[in-house]
Structure formats: C-alpha cells, structure tokens
Amino acid sequence: MSSTSATPTATETVLAVEGLRKIYNEGTDHANMAIDDVSFQVSKGEFLCIVGPSGAGKTTLLRCIAGLAPASAGRVTFEGKPLSNVPEQLGLVFQDYGRSLYPWLTNGGNVALPLAARGVPRAQRAARVAESLQSVGLGHVEKTYPWELSGGMQQRVAIARALSYRPELLLMDEPFASVDAQTRFDLEDLILQVRRDLGITVVLVTHDIDEAIYLSDRIVVLSKNPSVVREVVDVPLGDKRSQVETRSSDAFLGLRNHLLSLVMPKDE
Ligand code: ADP
C-alpha cells in the first residue's frame, strides 16, 4: 500500500548508540572490558528500558550516553550530533536521591539549581520551579526542606529538578530502587504520566524485569559483561497501563518469561 502523505510516518531518532565499547583502565594490566559492542536507537517520545544481569554494564552504558564517561570505541549521537559532554537537553536522575539533594536548600531551591547554570532567565525561574514541582504532585513542598520529606517524595523532587530545564531526554539509573514497593509503583505511574504530559523521551536502567515491562515501549537486554545486546524486545502493552491489570495480563506474563530466559539463560 503506498502513501500519498508527504509527512514521513517513520519515527524520529533522538539517540543513537553505535558500536559502543567501554574498557575501564584501558592499557593497564587491570583493564576491564565492561561493554564489548552495543548498538541501539531511541525514537522521540519513546520509553526504553535497559536490563541485564548485575555487572552487565548497564550503569556504564548510561554514563557513556550521558557523556559522563568516555567510550573506548563507537559513538553516541544525540539528535544526530556526536555527544562529547553532558548535553543541555539531557536530564539525569540517579538512585541515590538522598545524596543528590542539598539539605541546606529548600526543595524549591534544589529544583532551581540547574536553571541558572543552563541560562534560564531569572524572571522565569520561579515559575519553572513551581511548574516542575507541580508536575510531580509536590506543589506544596517548595518552601520546605528535603529532610522533611519521605524517600519517595525526595525522589520526586529529584525528578522535578531534572524536569525543570525541560530536557528532551531523561536518563534514569535505577531511580526507584531505594523506595518501598508501594512508593515504587506510585513513582512508576508518575514517570509514565510525566512522559505522557511532557512528551519526553526516557531511557531507564533497571535490574527489575517487571518494572522494565511495565514502563517500556521497548527493552534492550544486555548479556553478562563484557556486554553485547542480547535482544531488543518490543512491549506492545498499549499506552494505558495499570499496576494490577497490566501486570496480571497474559501479554505481561509472556514477556516476563521471555525476558527471564534472556537475562538468566539456562546454559550459563
Ligand atoms: P551494572 O550497572 O549492569 O550492574 P556496571 O556498569 O556497574 O554494571 O559495571 C560493569 C562492569 O564494569 C563491572 O565489571 C564493574 O566492576 C566495572 N566497573 C564499573 N565502574 C567501574 C570503574 N569506575 N572502574 C573500573 N571498573 C568499573
């Protein structure tokens, strides 16, 4: 069937990882190849999770994507341009929110922090802070301090801070690993909502296969290290997801079995 539309229906690639290799302590006698050869692409607006066994190189991969660690070979391009240092359009959220927020600053002050550095005019900063905190359901905590909040709320503030400069791509490394199960479900739903509301692209590393399935459009499965891509798995569960129904659906359980067989192969 041919299309007469001039508008391409193909999705736009925002992030491309091509032949990435990472060797720590390269050239020394304790060189460690964390990543052998990893390639994948992420489309605009996509939610992509990276899973793999512990020590597979998931965090290393995210650090290379973020420009926080140099690749030994291959390249990462963001909107078609080679990535050399942390690009302005990137938001980062890591697991250790406790240490990532400054206790002497209010929650609003923490969220405001990256705005000056990224050149957002002073007159716009207060509105951005309020808007970002509201987007994570915390409009009321601007004047209080991180230590007055629960762990889950602190992580929401960390997410608000990453959203305050309106990044196009959000990189998250095990962002919900340090909270209790109920809070984790809440934060998963929050990030799906944020992604829908802001049309943002998300790349998230997790060791939790169920979490990856629940959140993703696609999942990149890494082998044990030195890692290669074992498979890129499509997650056709639709846009509307619910913790109870989605997780108990046959499609979800089928994906879980498949992913488990990839992450924990019988022959290894
Ligand atoms: P994952 O996130 O999948 O658990 P990591 O990316 O943390 O895996 O680690 C992958 C491999 O790289 C491991 O063998 C780890 O020991 C090694 N590694 C990670 N960070 C460093 C570092 N800064 N220096 C040397 N080796 C490292």
Side-chain angles (χ1 to χ4, degrees):
M1 196 170 68
S2 65
S3 167
T4 53
S5 167
T7 312
T9 48
T11 46
E12 185 187 331
T13 298
V14 274
L15 183 77
V17 176
E18 297 165 271
L20 189 88
R21 169 174 286 187
K22 175 65 183 175
I23 306 170
Y24 285 108
N25 307 312
E26 200 170 0
T28 70
D29 54 5
H30 51 285
N32 177 10
M33 188 191 289
I35 299 174
D36 182 0
D37 182 3
V38 165
S39 302
F40 61 90
Q41 298 187 338
V42 188
S43 303
K44 198 171 178 59
E46 191 173 29
F47 203 126
L48 183 121
C49 281
I50 298 167
V51 301
S54 181
K58 302 183 291 297
T59 294
T60 300
L61 176 57
L62 210 68
R63 287 175 55 79
C64 290
I65 293 173
L68 296 170
S72 306
R75 64 178 199 156
V76 178
T77 52
F78 182 72
E79 294 185 332
K81 298 192 194 80
L83 196 154
S84 50
N85 49 17
V86 185
E88 297 266 302
Q89 305 93 323
L90 211 73
L92 296 169
V93 179
F94 295 105
Q95 177 184 344
D96 209 352
Y97 51 83
R99 277 193 295 170
S100 82
L101 298 174
Y102 292 111
W104 58 87
L105 290 177
T106 61
N107 295 308
N110 271 286
V111 174
L113 218 50
L115 296 177
R118 285 170 194 253
V120 175
R122 188 177 289 273
Q124 291 176 19
R125 290 183 208 159
R128 285 284 191 95
V129 169
E131 171 192 292
S132 307
L133 281 168
Q134 267 156 22
S135 72
V136 299
L138 285 181
H140 58 292
V141 306
E142 194 176 330
K143 303 250 176 327
T144 59
Y145 289 85
W147 41 267
E148 297 179 81
L149 304 177
S150 68
M153 288 165 92
Q154 287 179 27
Q155 189 63 324
R156 282 176 190 244
V157 175
I159 294 169
R161 182 177 56 190
L163 295 175
S164 65
Y165 45 89
R166 298 180 182 157
E168 289 162 46
L169 175 65
L170 195 58
L171 294 181
M172 308 181 96
D173 188 5
E174 298 276 8
F176 315 135
S178 310
V179 296
D180 61 81
Q182 178 61 51
T183 305
R184 189 173 185 134
F185 289 158
D186 291 345
L187 288 171
E188 288 169 2
D189 287 332
L190 170 84
I191 204 68
L192 285 177
Q193 183 68 44
V194 162
R195 176 264 189 131
R196 262 198 303 275
D197 291 349
L198 306 182
I200 207 166
T201 309
V202 185
V203 176
L204 184 147
V205 159
T206 179
H207 67 274
D208 183 332
I209 284 174
D210 285 11
E211 177 168 275
I213 301 168
Y214 185 68
L215 294 172
S216 294
D217 296 314
R218 283 188 308 145
I219 301 173
V220 172
V221 184
L222 297 183
S223 68
K224 65 180 188 183
N225 93 327
S227 52
V228 295
V229 175
R230 244 195 134 91
E231 193 173 315
V232 180
V233 177
D234 275 323
V235 182
L237 295 177
D239 285 344
K240 282 242 175 291
R241 302 194 183 184
S242 114
Q243 293 287 359
V244 177
E245 281 161 33
T246 305
R247 284 175 187 267
S248 56
S249 68
D250 289 344
F252 188 98
L253 298 175
L255 282 163
R256 177 204 268 166
N257 286 342
H258 181 56
L259 281 155
L260 278 173
S261 73
L262 290 171
V263 174
M264 296 195 289
K266 287 199 182 75
D267 56 355
E268 284 183 16

